[in-house]
Amino acid sequence: MLAFRAYSWFLGRRLGLTLLTLWGLASLVFLMIKLMPGDEAQMAAGADASAAQIEAVRERLGLDAPVIMQYLSFLGRLLRGDLGTSIVTLQPVLADLEKVLPSTLELVFVAMLLNLAVAIPAGIIAAYRQGGVFDTTSRVTAVMLGGMPAFWLALVLQYVLGSVWRVVPISGQQGYGMNSPVVTGAPTVDALIAGNFAGFFDTLHHIILPAAVLAALFATQIFRTLRAALLGVLRSDFIMAVRAKGATARHMLVRHALPNSLNPVLTLSGTQAGAMIGSAVLVETVFARQGIGAYMFNAVAQKDAFAVLGSVMFIGTVVCLVNLIVDILQLLVDPRIRAAQLGSQGQ
Amino acid sequence: MRTVHPMPDQSTVTPLRPPLVTVDKLTVDMPLGRSGASVRIVDGVDFSIGVGERVALVGESGSGKSLTARALMRLDRLARLSGRVDFDGTDLLKLSDRDMGRLRGSSIAMVFQDPMSFLDPLMTIGDQVAETLRIRGIGKAEARKRALAVLDELGVDRAAQRLDAYPHEFSGGMRQRVVLAMALVGEPRLLIADEPTTALDVRVQDQVLDLLDDVSTRRGLAVLFITHDLGVVAGFAERVMVMYSGRIVEDGEVASVFAKPSHPYTQGLIKAVPRIDQDLNTLYAIPGAPPPPLARPGGCPFHPRCDQRFERCDKDLPMLLPVGLSRVACHLHDGHQHDRKGA
Amino acid sequence: MLMSIDSISKSYNAFPNPPAKVLHDVTLNIDAGEAIGLVGESGSGKSTIAKCMLALIKPEDGAITYDGIDVIHAKGEELRRFRREVQMVFQDPYGSLNPRMTVEELIGEGLLIHKLEPTAAARRKRVAEIMDMVGLNPNDMDRYTRSFSGGQRQRIAIARALVIRPRILVCDEPVAALDVSVQAQVINLLQDMQKKLNLAIVFVAHDLAVVRHLCEKIVVLHKGKVVEQGSRDEIFGNPRMPYTQSLLAAVPVPDPVAGRARRAARRLETAN
Amino acid sequence: MTAIAQPATTRRKEGFSAFEIFVFTLVIALLVIAVFGPFLAPDSIYNSDIANSLMPPSAANWFGTDDQGRDVFWRLIVGAQTTLLSAFLVVTLYSLIGVTLATVAAAGPRWLDEGLMRITDIGLALPGMIVALGFAAAMGASLRSAIIAMAITGWPITARMLRGIMRQTMEQPFVAGAQVLGVSKWRLMTKHVLPNSLDVLIVKWAGDIGTTVLVLASLSFIGVGAQPPSAEWGATIAAARGYVSTAWWTVVAPGAAVAITSIAFGLLGDIIQVRRDPSLRGN
């Protein structure tokens, strides 16, 4: 009974916080719109709109009303899914973004896999042989990678691996003639649905470098967090008790230190899943991939302010929802994290 | 450089029983940062523990008592050890890590001060107690059965149902029983107990002491009991060793040490403890404080606080020498008392 | 009667679990100049009572009165007088002194904030006097507490509390973290100060032997309730409540003969 | 009761390792370049010289020239000032916001603390760079916009961390001691709580400079930060982006400058942290 109460309390709190965050995000975006220099109606209508068109937009957006009314109607429009209209594509921003979201999610998914697949084993080995050659090299690598600008790393690797060595395609998401019918919008998935295996491997070939660049940035954080957590646990008292039982170093690490260190890593990777969507802005455009990052980049380049702010609202919302899902998954999947999250009221 | 005494039998009190562990000139150095410098926490300790004997090691903070105990099991990975620790004919300090690992838990086991921080919060009690056996390749069912038997023996209520409970679901006294079960399940011959009752309330402490008393009698288990509480020593141990500043300063039968302590530090310590069974106007207070390991005074380390010090005390380090049935490291007792009269 | 605590209760919020009640209708009185011991095991609520007496936390029910001041609702000048006249010493000699203040700043802070000495020079002189009184070297005034031992720190803490001449000193396990050989120094100092300054001391402890040594009046607590209270002779010579008896019986004695006899008797009792 | 307790009395000063000296030298060199760089650079780097554009590295132009024929090396030296000064400004601004909010939250009544921390939670849950990008784009893409945008999105971590530490410090017995003595709330916070909580922030500060240099360069690259012809490093990379296959040095040099600066300040933060708490050594 108590557990049920604790669960619903946790879930309720988590949901409430997500709603609060979305409201905060909406308010920030509204503030951004108000910060824009110049006449909002003029901007929304586009540079070569006639006076009548501008007035029509002013009317539609209710820009003559007091700010508080404007704010409320802005929130109302958001609730109806209206993120504004791009002055370049003349399409609703939401419609534009929905088209490219799967491609970004695909990139983030692959990057997340790479991130965890590299960082977690590396963190474990580094902690297991603290101060050894592997530990030292991987720490130096982590420091270097963590300090490099992601977009620059993308440019350099693209040049070296794509142009000079030709190991991977320079850009795009699939080779010429490899297209599969668009179903989901994520190229790898579409290729699989079409049964186009050559196309599937081609899309993987295209995604590997962008995903690796995106992953590099985040893998350094996972590596450092896991390694520090493992070493911290290895220094704790109960590890001495396990030593006193005659356990080997390996047994201590796998059976005791690792389970006790995973919590911060899982929490971090949850946050990272969201942050990666934001960081796609830095990578997608370099590799000429479709996606919300590239969309946003182009919007900035074309001074399409409503598309930029619509994207901010959209990405922020996706990040919040991803964080919420990851938190709930953590709670459901691992009973240990459940215990830690809900607190232990034993005795 | 100190002279090495070639006759170990002279500098060791003969235990009542055949010796199980003989420690000879054990030193423990802890590194300071990465500069390569280190500080000597335990400075040449000699003692032995007989089969089934209960020995208390008493000392204050910085005396090196805990590190001495851990050194017997080589538990501190950073510590640099030298000397000999002879257990059943093998020098533990010379064993490979793998062989030492085999000995831990099965021949020598340890219980610790704060049971909660010495239990893995994410593993069930049953698994933690059985782990000692599982590490040695004993099957899951068998290990669980024996874990249950030990928990029962130690008076854990409804042990069978609670095998799958986690440490946070136990009270302080029960946790100490679990830690004790973890130590005893491998049927060791020596149990090192590092302040096992310090964090407990008196009534629980009393129960744990009774338990330890029973188990050691029943199993013929030798116990090295580390504590700072002289009351606990008097009620539990047969022999007491008093440590000060990294050295043993007095070692003897509990009855004779308490009745007639020889070292001024032991004398002061016994007089300084407030007693539940007596009214005193003022407690005897030893002036000053125990020195931190980096600032140990030369000569006898106790001399700055000693009310019986004389000329030699700040110059020569007293050796631990036989005095009656005990051993004492004090210039008052090393056969040069006439020096003092002359001074 | 200097301070009276009248049936106070206190619970702690443990949301989402139900609140935990740690004090149930606790009543006790403190007279000027007396030393009173609050003893109990962990979870007995003894430290919570000390915090209530110092107005660090507020009980939900009941009243605390100090020399005509309603402590729970005191404000302004009344609260200032209460803060000047009721002081405390903590258990942890390492955490109880601000590491970024010199000994002079630490001990002189009370004089400064209560404006008891107008000039820095006068404050300095008072600090030197009190340091001398508690057995510290006044030349150490400009040092930070980092390099002081646990016992010296407790002396600093006592000097810091006593320099503004309080009438009640609440000591929460002041010797529990000290080495045995140093513990006696601090106990003797407290005893000394109590007599010299006609100070009322509230001594919170789990160690009955220390309490017996220091306090004329003893209050035994168990699970947030007062189980028994009385004079030293009553509690130690003729305890009435079974809880008090079991508590006393469990205290180890540093004497092998007496200690073994006590334990044997006790085990016989539990066996029956 | 362990023998090796008593950290206070056994604390010792240790010398600096070669690695630490290397990092200090690097940081100091960067600061010196940032302060004096613009005074040393030849005037020619402000004018374009199309005849000499995209020349590879040589004795005359160590890092080659860019598409405008300007010397890449000297533009980096000049850009160091813009880049580092902006980063310092950003970190100082958001630290001030963070410290103020944390102090108010820690000292204030429960409802205020709760309210401020929920606002902080919102800030923490949002992707900082995206929100900063939005602000900068809305205010009109410029270095000034990017700095303001980063300052108003950067404070939540500082505020959350410091508030946590201050709450911990307030649990320390010496704070209760000061309360019993009757010190005012102002004195309690400024004299007892803040001084014992701030040093963690100083460690974070060094690392934050490194991170800020990175994010600032990213914003400039996306186009909402410094605009060409600014010598700010991110803007330089953005401007040179199209020449990566024909003149790699125009991209590699400024990116390396960003990386070295961010790594140097990150390492500085690590060193200070290990010095404060030697048990972290090797992390």
Side-chain angles (χ1 to χ4, degrees):
Chain A
M1 229 29 236
L2 213 57
F4 177 74
R5 223 175 121 182
Y7 270 103
S8 35
W9 187 68
F10 173 83
L11 280 180
R13 201 185 135 85
R14 197 65 199 71
L15 272 173
L17 187 61
T18 304
L19 288 177
L20 201 66
T21 308
L22 290 176
W23 172 68
L25 174 67
S27 310
L28 283 179
V29 171
F30 182 74
L31 182 65
M32 291 175 198
I33 295 174
K34 290 294 136 192
L35 278 176
M36 289 194 301
D39 179 18
E40 197 180 325
Q42 163 87 63
M43 303 217 3
D48 20 72
S50 67
Q53 281 170 322
I54 294 174
E55 278 321 301
V57 169
R58 198 185 304 281
E59 186 90 350
R60 186 169 62 82
L61 297 180
L63 293 177
D64 290 326
V67 176
I68 180 74
M69 293 312 292
Q70 289 185 37
Y71 175 63
L72 290 177
S73 76
F74 170 77
L75 290 183
R77 268 178 281 141
L78 283 185
L79 283 178
R80 289 195 303 274
D82 179 3
L83 296 179
T85 306
S86 161
I87 53 172
V88 176
T89 65
L90 300 176
Q91 294 290 314
V93 175
L94 185 64
D96 281 347
L97 287 168
E98 273 173 349
K99 266 182 257 159
V100 290
L101 177 67
S103 173
T104 299
L105 289 183
E106 175 184 272
L107 176 69
V108 166
F109 181 74
V110 177
M112 199 65 195
L113 283 184
L114 283 176
N115 169 20
L116 298 179
V118 173
I120 290 183
I124 295 172
I125 299 172
Y128 183 57
R129 297 238 178 273
Q130 188 193 359
V133 178
F134 181 85
D135 186 24
T136 314
T137 15
S138 47
R139 274 167 57 212
V140 171
T141 315
V143 168
M144 305 288 261
L145 279 181
M148 284 183 198
F151 59 93
W152 177 74
L153 190 63
L155 283 171
V156 172
L157 288 180
Q158 183 186 41
Y159 173 59
V160 176
L161 297 179
S163 303
V164 182
W165 292 349
R166 296 175 186 277
V167 187
V168 291
I170 296 180
S171 62
Q173 14 201 28
Q174 51 208 188
Y176 183 72
M178 289 290 188
N179 300 13
S180 305
V182 175
V183 181
T184 59
T188 49
V189 182
D190 285 347
L192 276 183
I193 290 173
N196 177 359
F197 290 105
F200 174 67
F201 287 111
D202 178 61
T203 50
L204 278 190
H205 199 198
H206 277 84
I207 209 171
I208 193 79
L209 185 57
V213 169
L214 195 53
L217 191 72
F218 292 92
T220 60
Q221 294 173 2
I222 296 270
F223 170 79
R224 286 172 70 131
T225 307
L226 177 59
R227 184 179 170 278
L230 278 172
L231 290 179
V233 175
L234 282 175
R235 269 196 298 269
S236 63
D237 285 342
F238 74 81
I239 287 294
M240 184 169 286
V242 177
R243 271 167 69 75
K245 290 178 183 174
T248 57
R250 198 192 154 88
H251 177 94
M252 279 186 315
L253 196 77
V254 174
R255 205 65 189 82
H256 295 275
L258 200 56
N260 278 286
S261 311
L262 277 181
N263 202 9
V265 174
L266 287 173
T267 311
L268 177 64
S269 54
T271 326
Q272 285 190 343
M276 273 188 176
I277 298 173
S279 295
V281 186
L282 294 171
V283 176
E284 283 176 349
T285 163
V286 172
F287 291 102
R289 294 182 64 85
Q290 288 181 5
I292 48 181
Y295 179 81
M296 198 172 183
F297 189 94
N298 292 332
V300 169
Q302 294 169 330
K303 305 233 179 295
D304 187 353
F306 286 96
V308 173
L309 300 188
S311 306
V312 170
M313 189 66 220
F314 185 78
I315 296 177
T317 308
V318 173
V319 168
C320 284
L321 295 180
V322 168
N323 285 348
L324 177 67
I325 293 167
V326 170
D327 271 12
I328 294 173
L329 278 184
Q330 264 192 47
L331 199 71
L332 294 180
V333 170
D334 194 331
R336 288 159 180 163
I337 294 158
R338 202 156 60 209
Q341 283 283 357
L342 299 176
S344 43
Q345 262 90 28
Q347 293 281 328
Chain B
M1 278 281 106
R2 291 193 286 123
T3 41
V4 177
H5 291 273
M7 300 155 289
D9 55 329
Q10 236 188 24
S11 61
T12 310
V13 173
T14 320
L16 302 172
R17 283 157 274 213
L20 178 67
V21 192
T22 309
V23 174
D24 190 24
K25 299 203 177 46
L26 175 72
T27 63
V28 183
D29 295 275
M30 294 301 282
L32 290 169
R34 67 187 126 181
S35 54
S38 63
V39 55
R40 178 150 295 184
I41 313 270
V42 178
D43 187 11
V45 167
D46 305 317
F47 63 88
S48 70
I49 301 170
V51 172
E53 191 181 20
R54 275 182 271 178
V55 181
L57 184 59
V58 186
E60 298 179 297
S61 58
S63 65
K65 59 186 189 304
S66 284
L67 281 182
T68 303
R70 288 175 191 184
L72 299 193
M73 284 181 86
R74 289 174 34 195
L75 278 182
D76 279 299
R77 282 190 291 181
L78 293 175
R80 286 198 279 273
L81 311 175
S82 69
R84 263 181 81 82
V85 176
D86 206 279
F87 182 88
D88 230 10
T90 32
D91 183 357
L92 299 187
L93 300 193
K94 290 212 171 65
L95 284 182
S96 69
D97 280 349
R98 176 181 289 258
D99 290 341
M100 187 67 218
R102 283 209 193 97
L103 225 76
R104 288 193 196 117
S106 59
S107 294
I108 311 180
M110 188 154 182
V111 289
F112 302 91
Q113 174 171 355
D114 173 9
M116 191 57 187
S117 74
F118 282 96
L119 288 168
D120 184 337
L122 299 183
M123 201 188 246
T124 62
I125 294 302
D127 284 350
Q128 293 197 57
V129 176
E131 192 172 25
T132 316
L133 302 173
R134 299 280 294 132
I135 289 167
R136 286 170 179 78
I138 291 170
K140 198 166 184 160
E142 170 69 11
R144 203 173 153 91
K145 210 178 87 199
R146 279 164 64 181
L148 181 60
V150 179
L151 285 168
D152 264 335
E153 179 190 351
L154 295 178
V156 174
D157 301 336
R158 297 181 295 116
Q161 287 103 297
R162 296 172 80 181
L163 277 179
D164 295 320
Y166 287 91
H168 70 258
E169 296 168 289
F170 281 64
S171 70
M174 281 299 149
R175 276 179 210 145
Q176 195 50 280
R177 282 167 206 246
V178 170
V179 171
L180 197 56
M182 260 163 56
L184 293 178
V185 75
E187 301 186 347
R189 300 173 63 198
L190 171 65
L191 178 71
I192 299 171
D194 188 357
E195 307 237 14
T197 60
T198 305
L200 302 175
D201 283 320
V202 275
R203 294 187 310 159
V204 183
Q205 160 174 289
D206 197 46
Q207 291 164 12
V208 173
L209 285 174
D210 281 349
L211 201 63
L212 216 50
D213 205 336
D214 286 346
V215 170
S216 88
T217 314
R218 206 176 322 127
R219 296 188 172 208
L221 177 73
V223 181
L224 178 62
F225 196 100
I226 323 292
T227 183
H228 65 276
D229 186 338
L230 288 171
V232 172
V233 174
F236 179 79
E238 297 160 303
R239 211 173 90 220
V240 57
M241 301 188 288
V242 183
M243 265 189 104
Y244 189 79
S245 200
R247 319 178 124 258
I248 293 177
V249 295
E250 183 156 4
D251 171 10
E253 293 300 310
V254 163
S256 70
V257 170
F258 276 85
K260 195 172 170 297
S262 302
H263 198 285
Y265 174 62
T266 319
Q267 293 166 2
L269 216 49
I270 292 173
K271 277 191 284 180
V273 181
R275 291 180 61 160
I276 191 84
D277 56 345
Q278 287 178 0
D279 282 325
L280 284 167
N281 271 332
T282 345
L283 288 172
Y284 174 79
I286 305 175
L294 272 178
R296 287 177 179 163
C300 170
F302 186 63
H303 84 262
R305 306 176 69 192
C306 184
D307 57 2
Q308 299 169 56
R309 67 169 171 264
F310 57 103
E311 252 188 357
R312 284 181 63 201
C313 294
D314 58 354
K315 294 189 194 75
D316 301 339
L317 185 67
M319 298 285 105
L320 187 62
L321 297 171
V323 174
L325 286 173
S326 301
R327 294 187 298 157
V328 182
C330 176
H331 291 310
L332 288 171
H333 299 280
D334 62 2
H336 291 87
Q337 280 100 325
H338 53 273
D339 283 1
R340 188 185 177 212
K341 284 174 194 136
Chain C
M1 195 161 48
L2 195 52
M3 184 185 259
S4 81
I5 293 170
D6 188 12
S7 60
I8 58 168
S9 297
K10 175 78 192 167
S11 327
Y12 282 111
N13 205 346
F15 197 81
N17 292 343
K21 197 154 187 180
V22 288
L23 290 184
H24 303 263
D25 287 325
V26 170
T27 297
L28 52 98
N29 297 319
I30 297 139
D31 290 325
E34 81 171 347
I36 173 169
L38 303 188
V39 291
E41 296 176 310
S42 51
S44 64
K46 55 190 190 299
S47 288
T48 308
I49 297 177
K51 286 196 186 108
C52 288
M53 292 172 73
L54 291 158
L56 284 170
I57 54 175
K58 288 186 197 322
E60 285 112 44
D61 292 315
I64 302 177
T65 320
Y66 166 79
D67 198 23
I69 298 173
D70 172 359
V71 174
I72 299 172
H73 305 104
K75 283 198 180 65
E77 188 45 49
E78 273 194 335
L79 182 64
R80 262 193 292 281
R81 180 162 77 85
F82 175 78
R83 288 285 180 226
R84 198 168 60 236
E85 295 181 3
V86 181
Q87 281 304 308
M88 87 170 300
V89 176
F90 291 91
Q91 166 173 8
D92 174 12
Y94 291 89
S96 62
L97 299 172
N98 185 343
R100 285 170 201 275
M101 288 166 83
T102 63
V103 175
E104 184 192 355
E105 284 177 295
L106 282 166
I107 299 179
E109 187 169 28
L111 298 172
L112 179 77
I113 59 177
H114 289 292
K115 305 187 177 66
L116 297 179
E117 292 291 347
T119 66
R123 279 199 297 274
R124 210 174 151 80
K125 193 164 153 272
R126 279 280 291 277
V127 170
E129 282 166 13
I130 192 100
M131 283 181 79
D132 194 49
M133 192 163 141
V134 300
L136 290 165
N137 183 349
N139 293 334
D140 291 338
M141 208 186 277
D142 298 319
R143 286 168 59 193
Y144 288 89
T145 52
R146 246 196 305 281
S147 53
F148 286 81
S149 70
Q152 284 172 312
R153 284 168 196 239
Q154 275 322 46
R155 287 177 198 268
I156 296 172
I158 292 170
R160 173 174 157 90
L162 295 186
V163 72
I164 53 174
R165 292 295 162 95
R167 295 169 70 194
I168 299 183
L169 184 66
V170 179
C171 304
D172 189 358
E173 301 265 15
V175 297
L178 297 180
D179 279 315
V180 189
S181 69
V182 178
Q183 200 174 301
Q185 300 169 5
V186 174
I187 296 174
N188 288 344
L189 174 65
L190 283 172
Q191 210 172 20
D192 218 36
M193 292 294 128
Q194 188 217 348
K195 291 193 183 111
K196 241 183 228 160
L197 305 173
N198 189 31
L199 195 64
I201 287 189
V202 179
F203 196 91
V204 177
H206 69 280
D207 185 339
L208 285 121
V210 172
V211 175
R212 169 167 199 173
H213 187 75
L214 207 65
C215 306
E216 303 95 71
K217 199 166 112 189
I218 318 284
V219 179
V220 182
L221 295 154
H222 182 49
K223 292 186 175 162
K225 291 192 179 105
V226 175
V227 175
E228 187 168 359
Q229 53 180 317
S231 72
R232 172 173 15 207
D233 292 343
E234 281 163 7
I235 298 286
F236 288 96
N238 187 21
R240 281 170 296 129
M241 305 303 288
Y243 177 75
T244 316
Q245 289 162 2
S246 72
L247 208 55
L248 289 174
V251 179
V253 178
D255 176 341
V257 183
R260 292 229 164 87
R262 276 166 61 93
R263 287 191 65 196
R266 208 169 51 247
R267 298 182 83 172
L268 203 67
E269 209 169 282
T270 41
N272 289 343
Chain D
M1 287 284 150
T2 319
I4 41 172
Q6 310 261 1
T9 39
T10 54
R11 178 179 265 166
R12 279 159 38 110
K13 292 262 177 285
E14 264 184 65
F16 295 108
S17 71
F19 173 71
E20 286 170 338
I21 292 174
F22 171 73
V23 173
F24 295 151
T25 318
L26 200 58
V27 169
I28 292 168
L30 286 167
L31 293 177
V32 169
I33 291 172
V35 173
F36 298 106
F39 303 110
L40 304 173
D43 288 342
S44 63
I45 64 150
Y46 297 104
N47 308 314
S48 56
D49 174 10
I50 302 297
N52 276 322
S53 67
L54 301 177
M55 299 293 279
S58 66
N61 306 107
W62 291 354
F63 293 173
T65 61
D66 63 8
D67 57 326
Q68 302 289 315
R70 296 168 300 198
D71 182 88
V72 171
F73 174 76
W74 281 111
R75 272 184 61 82
L76 290 186
I77 298 286
V78 173
Q81 187 170 62
T82 324
T83 309
L84 275 174
L85 195 65
S86 311
F88 271 92
L89 208 59
V90 167
V91 176
T92 310
L93 282 174
Y94 77 59
S95 297
L96 281 178
I97 302 174
V99 172
T100 312
L101 286 180
T103 312
V104 172
R110 223 190 140 82
W111 61 267
L112 186 61
D113 182 28
E114 276 287 316
L116 287 174
M117 282 307 115
R118 289 299 80 77
I119 293 174
T120 312
D121 281 342
I122 294 175
L124 286 171
L126 295 174
M129 200 186 73
I130 294 296
V131 177
L133 194 159
F135 270 114
M139 286 183 287
S142 71
L143 183 58
R144 198 189 59 141
S145 300
I147 290 173
I148 297 174
M150 286 179 70
I152 47 185
T153 51
W155 57 267
I157 298 180
T158 306
R160 162 52 56 90
M161 213 169 104
L162 184 63
R163 180 260 183 198
I165 296 165
M166 288 176 87
R167 283 270 150 171
Q168 263 176 30
T169 307
M170 288 169 86
E171 294 294 310
Q172 295 252 26
F174 71 77
V175 172
Q179 279 171 309
V180 167
L181 209 54
V183 303
S184 62
K185 196 109 205 178
W186 173 253
R187 186 178 164 93
L188 189 75
M189 297 312 288
T190 55
K191 186 85 187 162
H192 295 274
V193 179
L194 255 186
N196 285 293
S197 309
L198 271 181
D199 49 351
V200 177
L201 216 60
I202 292 163
V203 176
K204 190 179 173 301
W205 206 71
D208 278 10
I209 297 279
T211 322
T212 306
V213 168
L214 271 185
V215 178
L216 195 69
S218 303
L219 289 181
S220 296
F221 176 75
I222 294 166
V224 295
Q227 301 293 316
S230 166
E232 193 273 335
W233 294 338
T236 312
I237 303 174
R241 196 188 143 183
Y243 305 103
V244 68
S245 51
T246 46
W248 55 266
W249 54 90
T250 54
V251 173
V252 169
V258 174
I260 289 171
T261 310
S262 130
I263 292 169
F265 279 95
L267 289 175
L268 180 69
D270 287 354
I271 291 173
I272 303 174
Q273 191 170 13
V274 170
R275 291 226 151 232
R276 274 185 66 246
D277 179 3
S279 73
L280 293 172
R281 177 154 299 150
N283 282 8

